[in-house]
Amino acid sequence: MNYIVFDLEWNQNPEGKKTRNDKLPFEIIEIGAVKVNSRKEITDSFHRLIRPQVYNWIHDSIHEVIHVDYKDLLDGIPFQQAAREFLEWCGPDWYFFTWGNQDVMELQRNMKFYGMLDQLPGPVTYYDVQKLYSLSFDDGSHRCALEHAVDELKIGKQQGFHRALADAVYTAEVLKHLNNIMIINHPSLDVYQNPKKKKDEIHISYPEYDKYVSREFAAKERIMKDREVTSTRCPICHQPARRRIRWFMNNPKVYFSVSVCDEHGLVRGKIRIHKTDEEKYFAVKTLRFTDTEEAEELRERKELLRRRRQLKRNTGKEV
């Protein structure tokens, strides 16, 4: 099994969102990666510059961060070739490690754009070293920059940041400071390739919470009418938990609820609605334990939202 620590750099439309290609808002221009063995030692490296095929100039903000000019990329190779060479270098069995949760998704989106997504079946399980670092050295929620983690751990800085191979190496160095059991217990799941049918739906139990990924729905309104989507169970005994606060819409994409397990306590539910590239919808639900303080905050939030909606309706009637 190969542990692949990788990093991507990407460009975006220099003319802004109005004229961008919505099927490829971020075009990968660099792939950097290292292989790490079971002792967390770097055993090999991979680096490719990629010649742009969609956006013909480097966005100013991207250029300021990664210091790559369009002329530097003209000697690069097409993305299709770079992706094939990267996956061949990874080998048949691997685990991905990245700093943050965006690289795995952008790799898939770029592969889909070029008709290559079948070479990376999903949903893809990976390990987010940024999240793992927060769980180990912070509050588990805050996400810090890679350079901040490197400074805190007193890792020597031999190269600059914001270049793919250098950031992959730094991420591998941070990985050395993380406990193996903690890593194993906290995988991440990228759902860019989401379940399509009922039989493909995903149920995962983590040490602190349960996660469920639904099948696709043709309309967003149908999601919250599905019994499996809205069910609440205890993350420990997995028995049904009685609803204390019914599901309410915090915003058009996120719903919350609070339930209670008689044996293990209060359970906070969160449902996030995702939209696919094909205009379909699916839900990602997390169920984790909470306390009376957060439960009361959610109750107050629900009441405030109810009052705002009522005020809006009354104002509309008066007009």
Side-chain angles (χ1 to χ4, degrees):
M1 183 68 69
N2 293 319
Y3 299 152
I4 307 297
V5 185
F6 80 92
D7 184 82
L8 306 173
E9 301 297 338
W10 49 72
N11 186 29
Q12 62 192 69
N13 186 15
E15 298 177 3
K17 292 183 178 181
K18 288 185 178 180
T19 59
R20 77 179 183 186
N21 188 323
D22 288 334
K23 293 184 178 180
L24 194 70
F26 302 109
E27 181 176 19
I28 294 172
I29 56 176
E30 188 177 28
I31 301 175
V34 293
K35 283 182 182 175
V36 176
N37 63 21
S38 60
R39 295 186 296 276
K40 299 179 183 174
E41 299 166 333
I42 295 175
T43 61
D44 197 7
S45 65
F46 177 94
H47 179 250
R48 296 290 187 274
L49 280 177
I50 297 169
R51 184 169 64 250
Q53 301 174 71
V54 177
Y55 303 122
N56 295 322
W57 202 252
I58 301 295
H59 192 285
D60 288 344
S61 63
I62 302 295
H63 182 263
E64 290 176 5
V65 173
I66 68 175
H67 304 295
V68 172
D69 192 270
Y70 186 78
K71 294 178 181 178
D72 300 325
L73 301 174
L74 293 179
D75 293 329
I77 61 177
F79 174 80
Q80 301 93 312
Q81 179 183 345
R84 281 194 297 269
E85 291 178 359
F86 174 58
L87 293 178
E88 289 173 3
W89 174 82
C90 288
D93 297 306
W94 42 260
Y95 284 124
F96 280 158
F97 290 77
T98 64
W99 186 265
N101 60 8
Q102 197 168 359
D103 292 75
V104 174
M105 189 269 283
E106 291 302 337
L107 177 61
Q108 293 173 87
R109 181 152 58 183
N110 276 249
M111 292 181 71
K112 181 178 181 178
F113 184 82
Y114 291 105
M116 304 175 63
L117 196 53
D118 60 332
Q119 298 182 38
L120 185 60
V124 177
T125 298
Y126 69 104
Y127 293 87
D128 179 351
V129 181
Q130 185 185 49
K131 179 180 78 173
L132 298 174
Y133 177 82
S134 181
L135 289 168
S136 299
F137 299 103
D138 206 334
D139 63 1
S141 298
H142 177 253
R143 300 292 185 261
C144 72
L146 177 58
E147 187 170 6
H148 178 83
V150 167
D151 288 339
E152 279 203 336
L153 296 173
K154 296 180 171 54
I155 296 170
K157 293 192 278 191
Q158 307 299 324
Q159 309 174 70
F161 289 81
H162 306 298
R163 289 301 301 270
L165 183 56
D167 283 2
V169 170
Y170 283 127
T171 301
E173 291 297 323
V174 173
L175 186 61
K176 292 179 180 179
H177 293 77
L178 303 180
N179 178 273
N180 287 338
I181 299 300
M182 190 275 299
I183 295 172
I184 292 170
N185 285 336
H186 294 89
S188 294
L189 183 71
D190 184 273
V191 292
Y192 180 76
Q193 298 183 65
N194 58 288
K196 307 298 182 184
K197 299 178 180 179
K198 180 72 175 177
K199 64 181 181 64
D200 300 322
E201 291 185 331
I202 298 169
H203 296 264
I204 306 177
S205 289
Y206 295 100
E208 295 90 5
Y209 63 95
D210 283 354
K211 176 175 282 191
Y212 159 78
V213 186
S214 79
R215 65 193 183 282
E216 283 186 347
F217 293 83
K220 182 168 62 175
E221 294 73 21
R222 293 178 57 186
I223 292 179
M224 296 306 292
K225 295 178 181 179
D226 184 84
R227 184 172 297 179
E228 183 63 27
V229 171
T230 58
S231 65
T232 52
R233 296 182 178 87
C234 172
I236 292 181
C237 65
H238 300 107
Q239 293 300 309
R242 290 182 290 107
R243 209 71 50 82
R244 283 277 186 88
I245 302 175
R246 294 183 179 276
W247 290 104
F248 68 94
M249 185 173 63
N250 186 61
N251 63 53
K253 294 182 179 180
V254 177
Y255 294 77
F256 286 106
S257 74
V258 176
S259 303
V260 62
C261 170
D262 292 335
E263 184 175 355
H264 299 108
L266 295 172
V267 178
R268 189 204 74 175
K270 180 179 180 180
I271 294 174
R272 182 177 292 275
I273 309 298
H274 295 260
K275 187 177 182 180
T276 72
D277 294 340
E278 291 74 30
E279 305 290 322
K280 299 290 183 65
Y281 299 88
F282 68 98
V284 177
K285 177 176 65 180
T286 55
L287 298 169
R288 66 170 72 242
F289 289 112
T290 187
D291 54 27
T292 54
E293 182 178 353
E294 184 183 22
E296 186 57 31
E297 289 176 359
L298 288 172
R299 186 185 301 279
E300 291 174 358
R301 188 187 307 180
K302 181 179 181 180
E303 179 61 19
L304 178 61
L305 290 168
R306 186 191 67 79
R307 290 178 181 176
R308 285 178 178 174
R309 286 194 295 270
Q310 186 178 39
L311 179 62
K312 188 175 181 180
R313 286 194 299 268
N314 292 339
T315 302
K317 289 178 182 178
E318 291 175 3
V319 173

